[in-house]
Amino acid sequence: MRHLRTTVARRHVSGDDGRRKGHHAGPTTRVTSTLRRVQHNLDPGTVAFVTKINVHGFGLLVFWTVVNILLLPVRVDETVRSALQGSALGLISFLGVGLAVVVQPLAGRVSDAWPGADKRRPFIVLGTLLAVPGLLFFGIARSFAVLALGFVLMQLATNIAQAAYQAFIPDLVEEDERGIASGAKNISGVLGAAAGLAGAEVVIALDAGTGGAVIFTGAVIVLAGILTVRWVPRIPGDRERGRRAALRAALSLRRVWDELTDTLGEHRTFRHAVFAQFLFMLGMYPAQRFLMLFLRDRYGDDALTWAAVGGVGAIVLAVLAAGVAGTLSDTVGRTPVLTGGVVIGALGMALIGFAPTPQLVAGAGGLIAVSYGAILAVKWALLNDDLPRGRAAGALGVAN
């Protein structure tokens, strides 16, 4: 699929030759060579291309940030009596996670096997079209059953689209540019989450209420789908196979199991990247969830104000770190950049635990934001470096 890359942007010279030439060079020469490769990858054509192929990620993060943080608690409160609201919220969250675990890998496998003229964009279109009625049901529901139906439909839709979208980088980006592409993917996610919260809050402040937030969210996901179809080049499928045969092969449980064990067994970098991703989220998400409670108990209510201010700075730092770390990983290697991100994150966590003032906690939070952006960008590049040929969407669905 690498030839598709040349239809939309310049083709880079492989970094292998540069690395060989600088292998015996002195430190100054190596630094100069690294800076030249960074500048090479920051060509405006490359930056524009990796931004365009990640526009759907921006839309997905706007969509789910608004739904999960702003709309879901309100809608549960409006459709479930107070004594059962905690259980209802837990049930609907469980449904969402469960569907993502099943739907995304299977949708990815179907996308990988799709024999049409384009094996990715039709799934973006399908997911976008299904998300709209799901959001509508979710927004107008007067009972929990209808609310859950809308939520399930949204999960099905967005996981179908996400399965195809995630394969754009291995399908369209050359290996020595996947770091910057992965950085762009994570930048789009951070900006999407921020834009979703800010946009929905503005809509609500204008007295548009929940209905206005629903319309805003639907408009963003539809626009992201349209831009993806317009900007992302076609990725041809295997036209020699019939659709029925392709679907049977993609959904065969025996084939699913065999290919999963093959992917994890024979693709060492992919396997280690999945495990690293698991450990990173295992440590980071509980810290995020309980951070506010910890700060309030230790420093009082004033700490929450500092945390709110720090949150804005953290978004900026995470965006910058994702871009810088992804680009650097294309030139100096994934492992050194990933190791640096881990060390910075561990230092930030330790400082939060022992910092005597909220101001120092804010500084530690900045370190964690840098770590978060860097690790996510490089981790995604690592996953893309060692994918089974022709099965990128399915494998990345398993990773998620």
Side-chain angles (χ1 to χ4, degrees), residues 325-346:
T327 304
L328 276 178
S329 75
D330 284 334
T331 57
V332 303
R334 314 284 189 223
T335 302
V337 181
L338 187 63
T339 302
V342 170
V343 171
I344 291 171

Side-chain angles (χ1 to χ4, degrees), residues 93-106:
S93 300
F94 174 76
L95 285 173
V97 173
L99 282 170
V101 168
V102 175
V103 173
Q104 197 175 125
L106 291 179

Side-chain angles (χ1 to χ4, degrees), residues 34-35 37-39 41-42 47 50 176-188 190 315-334 336-338 340-341 344 369-379 381:
T34 298
L35 291 175
R37 291 200 301 270
V38 169
Q39 183 180 14
N41 277 15
L42 289 177
V47 173
V50 298
D176 64 343
E177 295 173 353
R178 288 179 185 169
I180 188 173
S182 298
K185 176 184 182 298
N186 287 284
I187 288 173
S188 71
V190 174
I315 290 173
V316 175
L317 289 173
V319 166
L320 293 174
V324 172
T327 304
L328 276 178
S329 75
D330 284 334
T331 57
V332 303
R334 314 284 189 223
V337 181
L338 187 63
I344 291 171
V370 169
S371 171
Y372 185 83
I375 290 174
L376 286 182
V378 180
K379 177 268 302 177

